[in-house]
Amino acid sequence: MKSFVKITKKWIVIFIFILLNTSFVFAKSTKVFVKNGNIYLIKDEETIQITKSGKDSAPILSPDEKQIVFIRQVKPLEDNPYGLPPTDAGITMGNWSPYEIWTVYLDEMVPRVLIKSHYHDIKNIKQDIGFFMDIIFSPDSKKIYFDGLPGTATTYTIHCANRDGTEERWIYYGKLVDIIKNKDDPYYGYLLIQKRSPHGAYDEFAVITPEGKVVETFPIDDEGEYIKEFWRKHRK
């Protein structure tokens, strides 16, 4: 028994020595950010410049870390023939939006357009989209959600598309807030949005399915107590 104790102590000492004299490499987080209108990637403590247009914003990295999606300004804002800020006429009649959604796959490092703005001569707020503002990946990286102006300067709509830009479609009226990423949550993959009311206000939060079905609503209050309570129940 005494010999066993001595051997055990010996190996404990050896293990502590190894811990103190060995450098361990842990997984480092990968992040994207924008500086001076260009997209940068931080990976393994290395900063890599992804774009050089000087016109890019709102980058988001897919959960599988294979793709960056961002918004690119492709027209000068002052070129809007209907004036600024955007008006209903300027958006619909002029079919005018200065923004497109672009993407870069990290195994290619070639920026290319993913979603273009598109408007019809007759306003169709379930099909038209432009003036993109926010982008969110689904937790499995297979889809993107984005919002923008659908032909009116006071209405926002949320659209969905596959990560390659195909099968784009309208899903709801409102503004994107976040997505539930916790796999153990019953709302996993659902979107938290600011819901547009019939009178045009955005005074209510809503949780919607990826197909656009509302499953829960709660008020937007000045103190933010309702949203805090929501995230206490549903971790991101």
Side-chain angles (χ1 to χ4, degrees):
M1 184 68 180
K2 290 183 179 180
S3 59
F4 174 78
V5 173
K6 288 181 180 180
I7 293 173
T8 303
K9 288 182 178 179
K10 176 183 176 182
W11 282 110
I12 291 173
V13 171
I14 292 173
F15 179 69
I16 293 173
F17 177 83
I18 293 172
L19 283 176
L20 294 175
N21 291 274
T22 304
S23 296
F24 290 90
V25 178
F26 296 96
K28 297 180 176 65
S29 60
T30 304
K31 299 179 181 179
V32 291
F33 68 96
V34 61
K35 181 180 179 181
N36 298 326
N38 298 311
I39 307 300
Y40 291 81
L41 173 75
I42 300 177
K43 186 176 178 64
D44 297 331
E45 297 185 344
E46 180 185 5
T47 300
I48 305 167
Q49 185 170 352
I50 302 297
T51 66
K52 299 179 180 180
S53 73
K55 302 290 184 181
D56 302 329
S57 62
I60 182 169
L61 180 69
S62 62
D64 62 11
E65 299 188 356
K66 294 181 179 180
Q67 181 182 6
I68 299 172
V69 176
F70 57 94
I71 296 171
R72 172 165 289 183
Q73 181 182 329
V74 294
K75 301 175 185 177
L77 296 176
E78 58 270 20
D79 284 359
N80 183 350
Y82 295 86
L84 294 173
T87 62
D88 291 7
I91 297 172
T92 304
M93 294 173 58
N95 189 18
W96 196 91
S97 169
Y99 304 114
E100 294 175 346
I101 296 178
W102 281 56
T103 190
V104 173
Y105 286 91
L106 299 184
D107 61 348
E108 300 174 355
M109 298 299 247
V110 179
R112 60 176 181 266
V113 65
L114 189 67
I115 304 285
K116 290 186 175 183
S117 61
H118 47 83
Y119 298 103
H120 297 75
D121 293 336
I122 299 175
K123 186 185 300 182
N124 185 330
I125 58 177
K126 284 192 176 182
Q127 294 184 17
D128 300 345
I129 189 70
F131 279 88
F132 304 109
M133 298 176 188
D134 302 288
I135 309 169
I136 295 177
F137 264 101
S138 62
D140 62 6
S141 301
K142 293 181 179 180
K143 297 184 183 299
I144 59 169
Y145 302 94
F146 52 93
D147 56 21
L149 299 178
T152 168
T154 57
T155 299
Y156 298 85
T157 58
I158 299 168
H159 283 226
C160 176
N162 295 331
R163 70 186 303 169
D164 63 359
T166 59
E167 298 185 14
E168 182 214 327
R169 64 189 185 279
W170 171 92
I171 59 171
Y172 210 79
Y173 297 107
K175 301 177 185 178
L176 287 170
V177 176
D178 212 327
I179 193 166
I180 290 83
K181 308 178 186 70
N182 178 16
K183 288 185 177 181
D184 297 326
D185 196 292
Y187 286 171
Y188 173 68
Y190 289 13
L191 294 162
L192 177 64
I193 70 169
Q194 283 183 262
K195 180 175 173 287
R196 187 181 189 274
S197 67
H199 56 278
Y202 295 86
D203 53 8
E204 189 175 46
F205 286 114
V207 180
I208 63 172
T209 68
E211 295 72 36
K213 180 182 177 181
V214 176
V215 296
E216 181 181 343
T217 61
F218 53 95
I220 298 175
D221 61 308
D222 293 338
E223 292 76 24
E225 291 302 320
Y226 288 101
I227 190 69
K228 291 177 184 176
E229 179 61 24
F230 176 82
W231 286 123
R232 277 194 286 267
K233 294 179 180 178
H234 305 277
R235 292 186 297 108
K236 293 184 181 184

